[in-house]
C-alpha cells in the first residue's frame, strides 16, 4: 500500500506562507486524485484541496485564492502552497488519496500564531 510522508509545516505568523510537501512511495499520477486534508483542533478532518490525475484542481471555497495544490508526477510529490495564513488555518495537514483514503501518514503540523 502506498505510504505518504508529509513535511513543510511549522510555526508562522498570520499573513505568512508555507509550502507543504507530500512524498508518496509509489506513482500518484495516473488514475489517482490526491488531496490535502486538515485536522484542526476540536474539528473533524476536512478536505482543503485536491488534484486530479490530469491536474484539475479543487479548493474549498473558503480557501480559494490562498491555498494552491500542485504535484510533480515524476517525483511522486504533491504540494500545498498556503498564503496569507490565518490562525484558523492551524492544524495538522495530511495528504491522501481522494475519495478513498489509504493509511494516513503522520501529517505535518501548521501553527499560525503571533
Amino acid at each position: 500500500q502506498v505510504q505518504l510522508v508529509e513535511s513543510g509545516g511549522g510555526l508562522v505568523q498570520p499573513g505568512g506562507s508555507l509550502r507543504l510537501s507530500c512524498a508518496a512511495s509509489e506513482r500518484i499520477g495516473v488514475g489517482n486524485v490526491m488531496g490535502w486534508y486538515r485536522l484542526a483542533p476540536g474539528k473533524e478532518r476536512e478536505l482543503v484541496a485536491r488534484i486530479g490525475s490530469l491536474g484539475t484542481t479543487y479548493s474549498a471555497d473558503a480557501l480559494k485564492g490562498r491555498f494552491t495544490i500542485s504535484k510533480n508526477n515524476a517525483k511522486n510529490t504533491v504540494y500545498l502552497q498556503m498564503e496569507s495564513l490565518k490562525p484558523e488555518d492551524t492544524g495538522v495537514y495530511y495528504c491522501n488519496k481522494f475519495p478513498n483514503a489509504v493509511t494516513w501518514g503522520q501529517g505535518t503540523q501548521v501553527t499560525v500564531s503571533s
Side-chain angles (χ1 to χ4, degrees):
Q1 193 177 47
V2 62
Q3 296 183 353
L4 304 163
V5 179
E6 301 91 348
S7 62
L11 173 63
V12 62
Q13 292 186 343
S17 302
L18 282 174
R19 188 194 195 203
L20 307 183
S21 297
C22 168
S25 60
E26 62 185 44
R27 290 182 64 187
I28 59 171
V30 179
N32 289 319
V33 179
M34 296 296 295
W36 277 99
Y37 300 77
R38 175 170 71 191
L39 181 59
K43 296 184 179 181
E44 295 186 354
R45 184 153 37 200
E46 62 176 340
L47 177 72
V48 299
R50 66 176 188 258
I51 185 165
S53 58
L54 298 180
T56 303
T57 62
Y58 160 85
S59 298
D61 286 343
L63 303 174
K64 285 181 180 177
R66 297 197 299 120
F67 286 19
T68 304
I69 188 171
S70 62
K71 65 177 179 174
N72 184 325
N73 289 338
K75 294 184 178 180
N76 296 334
T77 301
V78 183
Y79 305 97
L80 185 68
Q81 180 69 41
M82 306 187 294
E83 307 284 351
S84 302
L85 284 162
K86 305 175 181 180
E88 52 263 42
D89 295 321
T90 293
V92 182
Y93 285 71
Y94 303 85
C95 70
N96 212 316
K97 292 185 177 182
F98 176 88
N100 300 315
V102 295
T103 302
W104 294 92
Q106 82 288 352
T108 186
Q109 175 71 46
V110 172
T111 302
V112 184
S113 175
S114 56

